Amino acid sequence: MTTVAMLLAQELTRAGVTTVFGLPGGENVQVMDALRQAGLRFVLVRNESSALFMADAMARITGKPGVCVTTLGPGALNALAGVGHAFLDRSPILIITAETPEHLLSYHTHQVIDLAALFQPLTKGSFQLRADNAATIAPYALALTQVGRPGPVHLRVSNEEANLDSPDPALADPPDPAATAVSAQIDQPTASGAENLAAARARLARSPRPPTVAGVRLEPEQPYPALRELAESAGAPVIVTPKAKGALPDDHALAAGVIGLTRSDPAYELLDEADAIIAVGFDVVELVKPWQQPQPLVWLAPWPNVEPTLAAVAELVGPLTPNLRQLADSHSASEPGWGAARVARWRQRQSARPLPTAAAGRLRPQQGLETLRRFAPPDLLGVTDVGSPKNPARVFW
């Protein structure tokens, strides 16, 4: 027989997970031992939220779900900041917390917290892993992290339940309502449909000033060649949100800056002149300024246009590369003075703006970045903290 913990570890391996981050404790020792037996690497952290940040980076690098393990009570609570990060950054992360066995709840309160109530608003689902549902819930939870809009999913399991034998999937009880709901989401079709493609092509055919806005959900597909083909075919300047910076090289003639840093990002100037906008992997969660552009929107993303729903004349939902290439085949061309010519004028205007003078003995961030650029190789990777350090780095790097 296979225990619940062993089945969970097997499902992680089957999903391509190689590394788990977190903090062990007596309440999750069965899960920890199962991870060890399955050959999964465990990375010890100093704070549970750090495990979420590390798992997020691992998910972005590998394209597989990131996985974290915590104990119950305060240990699980420590992870909430990281869970919030994963929720807002659309990171496919499975967080596995311990919990108090149900038979103790009527008379035991030590470290007892309603984890389902806490995690539900910040995750795509919070599920209890038991012997009678592990064969169904474990693979569903892992799949749900990446289905539609990616995000964190919460599994909670007591040490006692983790040590129980899990029935063979063929002999297991029918899935409970939670598993059925997850299954329905996983099986949702994502075909964009010929009508939406025709509407998108028609809109671009009569839009001589279309920019492209590329966002966080370019990952993990990385449809960079197809994005470039569409931009060059339509003569569409490419504006990116912070997570998509680099989707088109910054020295490309159509690269038109970043939005989502302040309410007055210079690239909004180009959006305001547009007569239609191509949104590729775009998510308003990255924006500081509310999205209020009145132009018709052509939506391309792996997930449906929901939460919030943006007014769009066409929605191509599914893998980005084929949809981008089908649009690139459309017969559309920008008007003279748009495209690369307009980006060149925009760049010239930005570079001509004088920067505020630094105080004596001080250095402006822009000056530091300019000096660094002068001596850095073109493929240098930079890391910046969030908040104010991020803003000039995103614009001037």
Side-chain angles (χ1 to χ4, degrees), residues 154-180:
H154 175 221
L155 279 183
R156 56 193 194 278
V157 58
S158 70
N159 224 13
E160 288 78 358
E161 199 75 28
N163 197 38
L164 294 179
D165 290 331
S166 178
D168 184 275
L171 304 176
D173 292 339
D176 61 19
T180 303

Side-chain angles (χ1 to χ4, degrees), residues 12 24 31 44 50 61 70 256 290 303 305-306 355 384:
L12 296 180
V31 169
L44 181 68
S50 300
I61 292 168
T70 79
W303 63 68
N305 177 15
V306 294
L355 294 175
T384 177

Side-chain angles (χ1 to χ4, degrees), residues 112-135:
V112 173
I113 295 172
D114 188 346
L115 295 179
L118 281 169
F119 279 82
Q120 190 71 46
L122 294 176
T123 62
K124 297 179 71 177
S126 177
F127 307 101
Q128 185 181 51
L129 200 64
R130 305 187 308 271
D132 64 353
N133 72 5

Side-chain angles (χ1 to χ4, degrees), residues 361-385:
R362 301 284 183 171
L363 190 68
R364 286 273 170 191
Q366 296 89 335
Q367 294 172 290
L369 288 164
E370 182 182 356
T371 303
L372 188 57
R373 280 202 316 269
R374 195 180 309 146
F375 294 100
D379 59 350
L380 179 72
L381 297 178
V383 179
T384 177
D385 200 354

Side-chain angles (χ1 to χ4, degrees), residues 156-241:
R156 56 193 194 278
V157 58
S158 70
N159 224 13
E160 288 78 358
E161 199 75 28
N163 197 38
L164 294 179
D165 290 331
S166 178
D168 184 275
L171 304 176
D173 292 339
D176 61 19
T180 303
V182 177
S183 180
Q185 287 182 276
I186 292 172
D187 294 336
Q188 258 185 346
T190 57
S192 59
E195 289 184 8
N196 274 296
L197 179 59
R201 283 176 161 169
R203 180 67 257 182
L204 293 183
R206 58 180 189 271
S207 300
R209 297 191 308 281
T212 295
V213 179
V216 61
R217 197 51 181 124
L218 292 178
E219 303 294 338
E221 187 180 339
Q222 301 181 0
Y224 307 136
L227 176 68
R228 183 171 184 157
E229 288 174 28
L230 174 60
E232 292 174 349
S233 172
V238 176
I239 298 165
V240 297
T241 55

